[in-house]
Amino acid sequence: GFGNNSMSLLAGIMVLCTIFSVMPEAAGEIVGAGNEGLTFIWVPQLFAQIPGGQFFMGLFFLALVFAAWSSLVAMIELAVRILIDLGLTRKRAIIAVGSTGFLLGIPSALRLGIFQNQDWVWGVGLMLSGFFFAFAVLRYGVTKWREKFINTSDSDVRIGRWWDWAMRLVAVEAVVLTVWFLIQAGGDNFWSAETWTLFSPYNVGSVLIQFGVVLLGLLALNRWMANRIMALQDGGGAD
């Protein structure tokens, strides 16, 4: 929500500004270290320079663990819910999602380059997922969605018509930001062969190729999944 995103943005600004002010001579190295370098190399060095740094560093990484776990639970639950709708029991769905996630995560755990690639590709993918959500709402009907799923009888807050225009803006914003981000990342060598390899850590081609593979797979499964869910609903439940 708004509060979570706002606090995440403020925390990021505070950490970066603090590191740059305490260690200005290392600004270039910090910027080039990436997410994992900033988190696991430079943040500990920052805490080492403040009183009680060991204690606060422990709290920082404990909070990071809880943040990761809470996000992971939400992601697993979404996939589990889809498999349940397709007819699996909850236990089997959890095992399937957990096992798949574990297996897909092994390459990233073993090789930093793969981890950086996946962090880059699916970090950009967050903007794409925002677009798909906004697109689904637009196709369904923005006002209809708002009245049916948000302004329910159990809701403590009623959302006005401004939300309808906000969703339209989100769709446009997601497209503009994604295209701009990829063009900026490609730089002057956008059409070179190096830009269009599959697993280079920070690579426009890698993003587009992996997006394309996943989208084609989802489109191929979409009709079957929809028919399966509708058949189960008409039949009165899962197998």
Side-chain angles (χ1 to χ4, degrees):
F2 177 77
N4 177 67
N5 293 336
S6 299
M7 290 306 299
S8 298
L9 181 61
L10 287 174
I13 293 174
M14 290 171 61
V15 169
L16 289 173
C17 291
T18 303
I19 290 179
F20 289 151
S21 63
V22 175
M23 295 178 288
E25 71 285 352
E29 294 181 68
I30 295 171
V31 172
N35 294 334
E36 68 284 348
L38 174 63
T39 304
F40 298 109
I41 297 176
W42 293 105
V43 166
Q45 292 188 41
L46 170 65
F47 280 114
Q49 299 190 38
I50 64 176
Q54 292 290 330
F55 172 75
F56 289 110
M57 182 170 63
L59 290 180
F60 173 82
F61 282 107
L62 181 63
L64 190 64
V65 169
F66 282 124
W69 274 106
S70 61
S71 299
L72 183 62
V73 168
M75 290 187 288
I76 290 177
E77 177 59 28
L78 176 60
V80 166
R81 185 67 256 177
I82 293 173
L83 293 182
I84 291 175
D85 290 342
L86 289 172
L88 270 68
T89 63
R90 184 170 185 83
K91 181 178 180 180
R92 290 182 178 179
I94 291 174
I95 293 174
V97 173
S99 301
T100 302
F102 178 80
L103 292 175
L104 292 177
I106 290 176
S108 295
L110 295 178
R111 292 190 59 183
L112 182 60
I114 296 178
F115 171 80
Q116 291 173 332
N117 173 267
Q118 294 302 287
D119 183 48
W120 156 251
V121 171
W122 300 111
V124 178
L126 291 174
M127 291 186 284
L128 191 64
S129 65
F131 166 76
F132 281 128
F133 176 78
F135 178 76
V137 173
L138 292 174
R139 284 292 302 272
Y140 186 84
V142 185
T143 303
K144 182 180 177 182
W145 178 286
R146 173 168 55 87
E147 293 300 328
K148 184 174 182 179
F149 297 107
I150 300 179
N151 293 337
T152 63
S153 58
D154 298 327
S155 178
D156 295 328
V157 178
R158 288 192 62 83
I159 304 298
R161 294 184 62 85
W162 62 267
W163 189 85
D164 301 358
W165 291 102
M167 289 306 300
R168 296 183 177 96
L169 177 62
V170 166
V172 175
E173 182 183 25
V175 173
V176 172
L177 285 176
T178 301
V179 173
W180 173 80
F181 195 65
L182 292 176
I183 291 175
Q184 291 293 315
D188 297 332
N189 299 319
F190 188 83
W191 297 112
S192 66
E194 293 79 8
T195 305
W196 295 92
T197 55
L198 182 56
F199 286 115
S200 178
Y202 304 107
N203 187 287
V204 175
S206 180
V207 173
L208 298 180
I209 293 170
Q210 292 185 57
F211 279 4
V213 171
V214 171
L215 288 175
L216 288 175
L218 292 176
L219 287 173
L221 290 172
N222 181 63
R223 185 176 297 276
W224 174 82
M225 293 172 66
N227 291 336
R228 172 71 174 170
I229 292 173
M230 293 177 64
L232 288 172
Q233 290 176 345
D234 293 339
D239 294 339

